[in-house]
Amino acid sequence: MKFLVCISKVPDTTSKIAFTDGDTKFDENGIQFIVNPYDEWYALVRALELKESLGGSVTIITVGGQADEPVMRKALAIGADEAVRIDAEAKDPGYIATQIASYAKDKDFDIVFCGKETIMYNNAQVPAAVAEYLDVPFISLATKLDLNGNTATIERDAQGGVEVVELQTPFVLSAAKGMAEQRIPNMKGIMAARTKPLNVVPAFDAAETTQVVSYETPSGKAECKYIDPENMDELVSLLHNQAKVI
Amino acid sequence: MAKTDLFKAPDYYQIDDLLTDEQKLVRDAARAWVKKEVSPIIEEYYEKAEFPKQLIKGLGEIGAFGPYIPAKYGGAELDQISYGLIMQELERADSGLRSTASVQSSLVMYPIWKYGSEEQRIKYLPKLATGEFMGCFGLTEPDHGSNPGGMTTNIKDQGDHYLLNGAKMWISNAPFADVAVVWAKNEQGRIKGVLVDKGMDGFSAPEMHGKWSLRASSTGELIFDNVKIPKENILPGRDGLGAPLSCLDSARYGISWGAIGAAMDCYDSALRYSKERIQFDKPIAAFQLTQKKLAEMITEITKSQLLALRLGQLKNQDKATSAQISMAKRNNIEFALKIAREARQIHGAMGISNEYPMMRHMMNLESVVTYEGTHDIHLLITGMDVTGIAAFNG
């Protein structure tokens, strides 16, 4: 089985977020980057588990510059066999998906794994777009994946419950919490990652489909007001006149 | 219930920018392992004064045992800064855990690698690297601490073997060690390294109890009563006091990083607590005396980081002197201990409980400031280095 896992770099969750270029671009200065947890903990680890039980290979792919290579080395240290970096600035989701699909289209991957979204932009569009461009089925929010030959049984989060689907490879899935458990790279993996291939591929022709007009950070939390439990009139008045929710 | 480990490492001078990607990967893996495996259980094991043996395998996996040893002997061939960073992360959890790794790496694997025969290296090092074998180091004696040259433990040549007699004290890992690297004098008064295997007749390693420090580490005595030592168990590569002292150099270097970990943990806890704890209608972080404490803490942590990093660069170039290592060990422990005490004060009464790590770190650091050369002896080493006059002998 050949598995492709899409990896994004995202800021560490404790980073201070700021913007540049007239609030149209995320300011990466001084930011510590990590592998997007949905990509690492669930997509990558489940792909590795399947490789370990069924044989095959796990390739990770990233669209980005050289600054993305440390997170790719981490994915290699966790156990991926090889890495591919498409040398292009990760623009909008359509652009990124075009890059990944263009690379993957003649490589016969059985499953393309993605995290359900990046914790950075929360677009959650890349996996579906990759499936569309590869013309294969797409399963979103997968929490469990079993393979029997070419038949996959997948559990996915549905509103208030679980949906179980069955389909044939090849397909694209987006992995959610529950799919696998985080693996910490061990020393053997870190040593092996030194010599695993990290191939840089030139960008494919693709157009940006959207332009960011501006980013804003959330406004600060308003001060908490305590109302005496006996004073319902004041509570109702504040909810009506100030918060304007009733 | 186990607490969530909210630790966030301070990096005031962007020292991360000076680390390689692999050094950061190694450190972050150790940090993640500590958060997952150690933080939830350490207070419990500290309280019951027990070494968490179930962590040994994981310590091997993250490369805590002999990370700079060549791969052919089971090591990871990492550089000295990576070794230091692993020690930092382990001591961020607990000095006892770091002590276990320091002993295994610098005091057991290092001498076997540097001074052992090829047969000894192949026999011991790969198993020590994974934790399948644990080791300990016997230098200190009941009557000879700062003056190890006065040791009375001895070996006598019996023709086809040696007889080992004597006792060692305050030995980390002793009660469960599979092999002890023991330093003993021969008939000519020359100090030799001896590999003593668990189970040899006349060898025992009783655990020492009643410690108020390093409680999550196992400490024991080594007692040798006419232990028959095969001649192939002598380290052939080096003898004299310089041999064990070179091991201590390696361990002290790791400790200089480890102390930063303990200090970071105390500072991190104090910073978070001071922003959450409200007194007089504002967080105590808003008070000048709290800010003074926090400012001094982060300053000393940053200075310690720079000292350790530069020392690591020198170690990587094989240029670090014993005196330079001594300075970093002394300085970084001294300030880690002060930071633990100040951080405890910021936590007020809560600071004495095991809800927070400062008291544990503080008690641990009372050992660390004493072992591997006391604070005072390290001052005298620097004194000797700058004046050219040894003050050890009064």
Side-chain angles (χ1 to χ4, degrees), chain A residues 219-239:
Chain A
S219 52
K221 282 182 196 163
E223 207 172 307
C224 203
K225 275 189 185 163
Y226 292 93
I227 313 292
D228 191 309
E230 304 300 317
N231 196 352
M232 288 306 288
D233 288 347
E234 190 186 351
L235 177 64
V236 170
S237 159
L238 284 170
L239 289 173

Side-chain angles (χ1 to χ4, degrees), chain B residues 246-247 382:
Chain B
S246 72
C247 304
T382 306

Side-chain angles (χ1 to χ4, degrees), chain A residues 46 50 111 113 143-147 152-154 171 173 179:
Chain A
R46 187 62 189 136
L50 289 172
I111 303 175
F113 290 81
T143 55
K144 190 165 187 259
L145 162 66
D146 288 314
L147 264 183
T153 308
I154 296 175
F171 60 87
L173 72 73
M179 174 69 88

Side-chain angles (χ1 to χ4, degrees), chain A residues 43-88:
Chain A
L44 174 61
V45 175
R46 187 62 189 136
L48 292 172
E49 289 170 353
L50 289 172
K51 184 197 91 165
E52 286 155 9
S53 61
L54 304 171
S57 65
V58 174
T59 303
I60 57 149
I61 188 166
T62 293
V63 179
Q66 207 173 356
D68 289 36
E69 291 187 3
V71 299
M72 300 174 75
R73 282 279 168 219
K74 184 182 182 190
L76 291 170
I78 293 170
D81 299 292
E82 62 168 345
V84 173
R85 177 169 69 79
I86 300 182
D87 194 17

Side-chain angles (χ1 to χ4, degrees), chain B residues 181-196:
Chain B
V181 175
V182 177
W183 301 93
K185 279 183 180 165
N186 65 10
E187 288 99 327
Q188 292 75 43
R190 194 76 184 155
I191 292 172
K192 307 286 275 184
V194 183
L195 299 175
V196 183

Side-chain angles (χ1 to χ4, degrees), chain A residues 170-242:
Chain A
F171 60 87
V172 177
L173 72 73
S174 75
K177 188 177 176 183
M179 174 69 88
E181 273 194 33
Q182 180 190 8
R183 282 188 186 181
I184 296 167
N186 60 31
M187 199 48 60
K188 235 166 110 183
I190 292 172
M191 288 166 73
R194 290 173 187 157
T195 51
K196 286 180 179 173
L198 194 161
N199 303 312
V200 181
V201 174
F204 298 90
D205 281 338
E208 272 181 88
T209 51
T210 52
Q211 303 270 322
V212 174
V213 177
S214 70
Y215 290 111
E216 285 175 33
T217 47
S219 52
K221 282 182 196 163
E223 207 172 307
C224 203
K225 275 189 185 163
Y226 292 93
I227 313 292
D228 191 309
E230 304 300 317
N231 196 352
M232 288 306 288
D233 288 347
E234 190 186 351
L235 177 64
V236 170
S237 159
L238 284 170
L239 289 173
H240 182 68
N241 298 319
Q242 203 167 318

Side-chain angles (χ1 to χ4, degrees), chain B residues 146-147 252 326 373-382 392:
Chain B
S146 294
N147 176 25
R252 288 167 181 169
S326 167
T374 65
H375 182 81
D376 289 354
I377 286 289
H378 284 300
L379 283 167
L380 298 184
I381 289 172
T382 306
F392 302 108

Side-chain angles (χ1 to χ4, degrees), chain B residues 192-265:
Chain B
K192 307 286 275 184
V194 183
L195 299 175
V196 183
D197 295 314
K198 187 180 190 171
M200 282 181 163
D201 279 347
F203 170 41
S204 59
E207 182 153 12
M208 297 169 69
H209 297 286
K211 291 179 298 171
W212 283 116
S213 179
L214 298 180
R215 288 171 63 82
S217 164
S218 187
T219 312
E221 295 173 68
L222 301 175
I223 299 167
F224 312 107
D225 180 11
N226 281 319
V227 182
K228 198 172 159 183
I229 304 288
K231 291 215 156 170
E232 63 265 25
N233 278 34
I234 302 295
L235 295 176
R238 189 171 175 188
D239 54 17
L241 192 56
L245 293 185
S246 72
C247 304
L248 293 179
D249 271 352
S250 177
R252 288 167 181 169
Y253 164 71
I255 294 169
S256 75
W257 280 96
I260 300 168
M264 279 179 170
D265 201 36

